[in-house]
Amino acid sequence: MIELNMNAVIGQLLKHYGQEEEVTEVKKYGSGHIHKTFLVDIPSQQYILQSFNRKVFPFPDRIAGNLQQVKTHLHGKNLEFNLPLPMRTTAGKLFTDHENVFYRLFPFVEGKCIDKVENPKQAYLAAQAFGGFIKACAGITTDGLEEVIEGFHDLSLRYRQFEMALKNTQIELSGEVLDMVEFYKKQVLLVRKYKHYVETLPLRVTHNDTKINNVIFSDDFSKINAVIDLDTVMAGYVFYDFGDLVRTVACTEEEGSVEWDKIDIDLDKYAALLQGFVEAMDSELSAEEKESLPFGGEMMACIMGLRFLTDYLNGNIYYPISYQDHNLHRSKNQALLLQALQTKRKSISLLLEKVQ
Ligand code: GN1
Ligand code: MG
């Protein structure tokens, strides 16, 4: 979309939703990697408009089907936050298109979307929201849900994809690249643990992208107004959702940071995550699931590191990059985070013991 006529084009898109007012302002919103998200102002209100990445999500009907089941199940339940779903056009469709790009419109939820939590209270609230989401969805039969991205959090599959990329890559395997390759090769131990958990724990409806920027805090940070980015809601394990919280909340540096010496795990925020998640899931969380939570942190740092490194080896075809080694550096960031989690295993298991 060319900048100059952007407002006019968006105005045309909004007409499909019965909205005739002129568009007064369009701003980029949030920091997601996959879709492009904009905050759109018209005189009477604000909307979120998103250009939808069909390459990453080739089965949009599956997303809609899963979310319909969640919506039906949650109807009448008293969830403390919003789950903003795509709006329907006057013709009943979930997408509009312009120049072969698909767009979706969402109601705008007021509040703050952040990439880094400032204190344990914010960590607690985010974990409570994601734990609360899983609990509220308990009872939905996961057999009826579809995989929106096949093998999305399957660590064995991601490891095999990494091995394949390694075999076919055009990149020279030396220096920092080789260090990363060697590091992730050793994580085959985590793959074994993953297989064990998958064989023993129940599948549930999980969010599967519990990055901190997928919640909207109230302006005063006293509560969560909404859980967003619901595209990957499908069957999963509790440790996926807890794990991505650890990865993006209990870290001292964001995923894009190259300040290697500063990458560590903040145990106060980790403890707050455990508290919020376990409290929200309450009796719905089994002892075995609770025991799997620390594994989730390691597994999600590992799977993201593997995915970034695989993408680097494949020539950066999945994640948008701002410079050539961006994905390599993201994989290094996740490797250091994983290392920190592994070094702090003992302290983390003590934190888990304390949580009721
Ligand atoms: C992607 O689009 P975004 O930023 O919410 C990715 C997640 C990763 C995340 C890493 C569909 O999420 O799996 O954890 O980047 N989503 C997809 O920052 O691949
Ligand atoms: Mg997102």
Side-chain angles (χ1 to χ4, degrees):
M1 221 186 273
I2 303 162
E3 201 72 28
L4 269 179
N5 68 1
M6 192 152 169
N7 289 19
V9 170
I10 292 178
Q12 288 303 317
L13 293 176
L14 293 191
K15 286 203 168 74
H16 293 283
Y17 295 85
Q19 185 52 261
E20 300 285 339
E21 289 176 46
E22 82 175 297
V23 171
T24 46
E25 197 174 359
V26 178
K27 280 188 271 198
K28 211 172 172 303
Y29 188 78
S31 50
H33 290 311
I34 304 299
H35 308 301
K36 284 198 197 96
T37 309
F38 305 94
L39 174 61
V40 176
D41 285 19
I42 61 170
S44 67
Q45 59 185 310
Q46 295 180 299
Y47 291 108
I48 291 292
L49 181 80
Q50 198 169 53
S51 75
F52 182 80
N53 188 329
R54 274 189 285 169
K55 213 169 131 208
V56 168
F57 288 102
F59 311 110
D61 290 352
R62 295 187 186 179
I63 301 177
N66 290 349
L67 292 180
Q68 186 53 48
Q69 290 190 50
V70 168
K71 195 176 160 189
T72 307
H73 178 83
L74 296 181
H75 185 74
K77 286 207 167 66
N78 202 4
L79 212 58
E80 280 164 13
F81 45 83
N82 267 301
L83 290 173
L85 296 175
M87 296 165 61
R88 287 193 185 269
T89 64
T90 46
K93 299 223 167 72
L94 290 169
F95 291 98
T96 51
D97 62 294
H98 174 73
E99 292 178 349
N100 208 25
V101 178
F102 277 25
Y103 290 88
R104 308 186 283 191
L105 194 68
F106 294 87
F108 174 65
V109 178
E110 295 276 352
K112 298 233 162 66
C113 186
I114 55 171
D115 288 316
K116 197 173 170 52
V117 301
E118 280 150 18
N119 53 52
K121 166 89 188 292
Q122 291 170 359
Y124 171 83
L125 288 174
Q128 203 186 35
F130 284 116
F133 174 75
I134 300 179
K135 181 169 188 221
C137 289
I140 299 178
T141 35
T142 52
D143 288 353
L145 297 176
E146 296 201 77
E147 271 195 302
V148 291
I149 296 177
E150 284 159 16
F152 190 52
H153 283 331
D154 180 340
L155 189 62
S156 324
L157 174 73
R158 297 296 190 178
Y159 193 85
R160 288 199 300 279
Q161 289 173 340
F162 158 64
E163 288 178 315
M164 186 69 82
L166 205 50
K167 216 188 265 173
N168 298 328
T169 189
Q170 308 288 315
I171 306 270
E172 192 193 326
L173 301 179
S174 62
E176 212 175 29
V177 183
L178 189 59
D179 291 346
M180 281 305 102
V181 166
E182 294 301 334
F183 175 85
Y184 283 104
K185 269 189 181 167
K186 281 192 219 126
Q187 303 310 323
V188 71
L189 287 174
L190 277 184
V191 179
R192 268 182 232 148
K193 269 199 194 174
Y194 172 77
K195 286 183 183 153
H196 159 76
Y197 281 121
V198 162
E199 277 161 20
T200 51
L201 297 184
L203 273 172
R204 295 177 172 278
V205 177
T206 48
H207 180 283
N208 295 306
D209 192 6
T210 59
K211 278 166 77 166
I212 190 60
N213 59 23
N214 282 335
V215 291
I216 312 254
F217 287 90
S218 61
D219 282 327
D220 63 358
F221 287 97
S222 65
K223 64 186 189 71
I224 300 288
N225 283 350
V227 167
I228 59 170
D229 206 348
L230 304 170
D231 293 334
T232 49
V233 169
M234 58 183 156
Y237 299 94
V238 282
F239 61 81
Y240 293 164
D241 281 3
F242 183 75
D244 223 22
L245 278 164
V246 169
R247 195 179 74 77
T248 60
V249 172
C251 55
T252 52
E253 287 290 302
E254 292 165 46
E255 171 187 279
S257 166
V258 294
E259 303 234 31
W260 313 129
D261 298 343
K262 292 194 192 156
I263 297 175
D264 203 350
I265 282 294
D266 180 325
L267 287 176
D268 293 335
K269 287 178 187 156
Y270 198 116
L273 286 179
L274 277 172
Q275 193 68 41
F277 198 82
V278 171
E279 232 174 71
M281 281 207 64
D282 199 20
S283 56
E284 195 49 50
L285 187 73
S286 72
E288 292 77 18
E289 285 179 308
K290 187 176 164 196
E291 188 270 328
S292 76
L293 298 179
F295 165 75
E298 293 187 25
M299 184 233 147
M300 291 307 291
C302 181
I303 205 166
M304 274 322 304
L306 275 173
R307 289 175 63 191
F308 288 140
L309 186 56
T310 302
D311 197 31
Y312 177 75
L313 295 170
N314 285 339
N316 306 309
I317 51 180
Y318 189 92
Y319 286 106
I321 51 167
S322 314
Y323 61 95
Q324 180 52 31
D325 285 348
H326 204 159
N327 274 320
L328 176 66
H329 288 165
R330 287 166 171 157
S331 81
K332 182 166 172 176
N333 173 303
Q334 297 296 292
L336 292 166
L337 192 69
L338 175 52
Q339 237 167 17
L341 284 165
Q342 291 175 337
T343 309
K344 291 191 168 158
R345 265 186 192 159
K346 184 98 198 99
S347 320
I348 289 170
S349 64
L350 288 175
L351 293 179
L352 185 67
E353 271 171 35
K354 277 196 225 143
V355 176
Q356 299 305 316

